[in-house]
Amino acid sequence: MSALLEISGVTAFYGHSQALFGVDLEVAEGEVVALMGRNGMGKTTTIHSVMRLVPHRAGAIRFAGQPLGGLAPHRAARLGLGLVPEGRRAFAGLSVEENLVAAARSGAWGLREIYALFPRLEERRGQDARSLSGGEQQMLVIGRALMTNPRLLILDEATEGLAPLIRQEIWGVIRRLKAETGLAILVVDKSLKEMSRAADRAVILEKGRVVWADAMGALTQELADRYLGV
Ligand code: ATP
């Protein structure tokens, strides 16, 4: 498998405060990679560096062989990075379908494919996005990211704060995306159990450094306690 996303030696700062200290991470075509670590360890900053929402000061980020350094965020997104950001942000004042259509770019994903994945969105297609439940809004935000026809889908805490049943539904969709479409996915989430079922590999961050990276199956309970326990 060739690397679709290659992050090497990336450092990032917020003002004078350093958040990343030389992060290395790769996602191959068709691979699901779990980015893990306790709160504040640098997961979102790593994702924001990829999306060019935080500038990286050293190191390199390549996507599909192309260096992302210096690209504006919207240009990086157009190369095929689909981000589902932390916190749900559907466009209020637009219907479900308008939200989806606004994100559309030509490719395999269109309204029909999104509605097949999330039948509830089809049921609510004419409703204002504001009237959706939290879980439905999250489905809409994922649907919107897919409408951009990404080569890599990045999910930052996509199930946070949702009811258990909705969470399971979203994890079911992630597993279907992997099995049926072979989409590459980088996922940040708190559920070790769900990550274990869905991810091929895991990368663990601690204080802005990668402290462990291997096949998901190699992550023992002892390692999880050490790096992820509270
Ligand atoms: P969480 O699960 O809480 O989102 P995280 O692993 O995603 O955690 P980051 O949000 O990347 O961690 O934060 C990494 C470090 O950078 C933390 O020390 C955090 O306090 C700091 N940080 C994050 N965002 C900012 C910001 N906008 N300004 C200043 N410091 C920040």
Side-chain angles (χ1 to χ4, degrees), residues 14 17-20 37-46 86 156-157 188 190 205:
Y14 294 103
S17 144
Q18 188 164 2
L20 300 181
R38 295 190 189 90
N39 286 348
M41 293 303 178
K43 304 179 297 294
T44 297
T45 305
T46 300
E86 222 176 349
D156 192 359
E157 307 265 16
V188 172
K190 298 231 156 48
L205 291 178

Side-chain angles (χ1 to χ4, degrees), residues 1 27-34 109 117 146 151 153 155 170-187 194-201 216:
M1 284 197 286
V27 183
E29 300 270 8
E31 196 180 32
V32 177
V33 175
W109 288 98
L117 201 61
L146 291 170
R151 294 182 67 181
L153 181 67
L155 300 160
I170 288 177
W171 276 106
V173 163
I174 295 170
R175 289 194 300 272
R176 269 181 70 186
L177 287 172
K178 174 182 158 77
E180 294 170 19
T181 71
L183 183 65
I185 303 175
L186 179 62
V187 56
E194 294 290 2
M195 299 269 246
S196 306
R197 287 180 72 190
D200 301 300
R201 282 194 308 114
M216 192 74 227

Side-chain angles (χ1 to χ4, degrees), residues 5 50-51 63 68 76-77 79-83 148 150-152 154:
L5 176 69
V50 173
M51 298 306 298
F63 182 68
L68 295 185
L79 293 175
L81 291 159
L83 173 67
T148 69
R151 294 182 67 181
L152 174 67
I154 303 179

Side-chain angles (χ1 to χ4, degrees), residues 40-83:
M41 293 303 178
K43 304 179 297 294
T44 297
T45 305
T46 300
I47 286 171
H48 284 183
S49 303
V50 173
M51 298 306 298
R52 310 292 311 140
L53 299 168
V54 171
H56 64 273
R57 213 174 271 183
I61 303 179
R62 293 171 74 85
F63 182 68
Q66 188 167 329
L68 295 185
L71 281 191
H74 69 281
R75 298 273 317 280
R78 250 187 255 154
L79 293 175
L81 291 159
L83 173 67

